[in-house]
């Protein structure tokens, strides 16, 4: 059970269009947003941030979700781990690749560029932060500054979401929960 109840009637009032858009994108109403709606300015601001981070850019949508998954699982947030894995699959990342996500350093399913991005997600989500100049030197072999900022933006956004959802014990919705539970590999194996 979430530590704060979600709002009632989310599709009514000023936030209605935002929740309708979120539901059309995700296929369900996100429980974290329903709780965040108790402070509408925070929800509206976060929605703008998420829209900017997930906007089409130099980093593929599926890779952004895999970055979010590595970051979230490293941070211990099951809600965001489930959402990001489900979202990656919805963005075209095959389940087989997601099953091997924690073997990204050795699996032939991942490119060197993906390995560099996922490695930064892992290392920068640890406390204290483990990202090094060498990690950025490696990233720069595959990505320009704009793309690196996209990668770091995903990691930073999930830093907020990981704290939000873990602290409030937000309940995972059925669709992402079922997909997440179907994965064969976790960081603990």
């Amino acid at each position: 059970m979430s530590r704060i109840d979600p709002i009632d009637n989310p599709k009514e009032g000023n936030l209605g269009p935002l929740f309708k858009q979120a539901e059309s994108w995700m296929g369900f109403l996100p429980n974290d947003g329903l709780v965040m709606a108790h402070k509408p300015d925070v929800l509206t601001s976060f929605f703008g941030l998420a829209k900017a981070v997930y906007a089409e850019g130099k980093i593929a949508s599926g890779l952004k979700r895999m970055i979010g998954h590595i970051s979230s699982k490293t941070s211990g947030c099951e809600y965001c781990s489930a959402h990001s894995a489900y979202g990656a699959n919805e963005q075209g990342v095959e389940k087989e690749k997601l099953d091997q996500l924690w073997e990204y350093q050795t699996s032939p399913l991942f490119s060197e560029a993906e390995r560099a991005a996922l490695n930064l997600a892992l290392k920068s989500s640890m406390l204290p932060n483990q990202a090094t100049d060498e990690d950025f030197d490696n990233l720069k072999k595959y990505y320009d500054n704009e793309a690196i900022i996209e990668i770091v933006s995903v990691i930073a956004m999930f830093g907020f979401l990981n704290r939000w959802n873990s602290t409030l014990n937000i309940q995972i919705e059925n669709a992402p929960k079922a997909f997440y539970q179907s994965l064969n590999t976790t960081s603990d194996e």
Side-chain angles (χ1 to χ4, degrees), residues 119-135:
N119 190 56
L120 184 68
L122 175 71
K123 292 173 90 176
S124 63
S125 299
M126 296 176 177
L127 292 176
N129 191 311
Q130 300 294 307
T132 65
D133 291 341
E134 290 79 21
D135 295 321

Side-chain angles (χ1 to χ4, degrees), residues 39-58:
K39 188 73 173 161
D41 288 346
V42 172
L43 176 65
T44 303
S45 296
F46 177 77
F47 189 80
L49 173 65
K51 191 174 177 181
V53 168
Y54 279 143
E56 186 175 326
K58 294 189 173 190

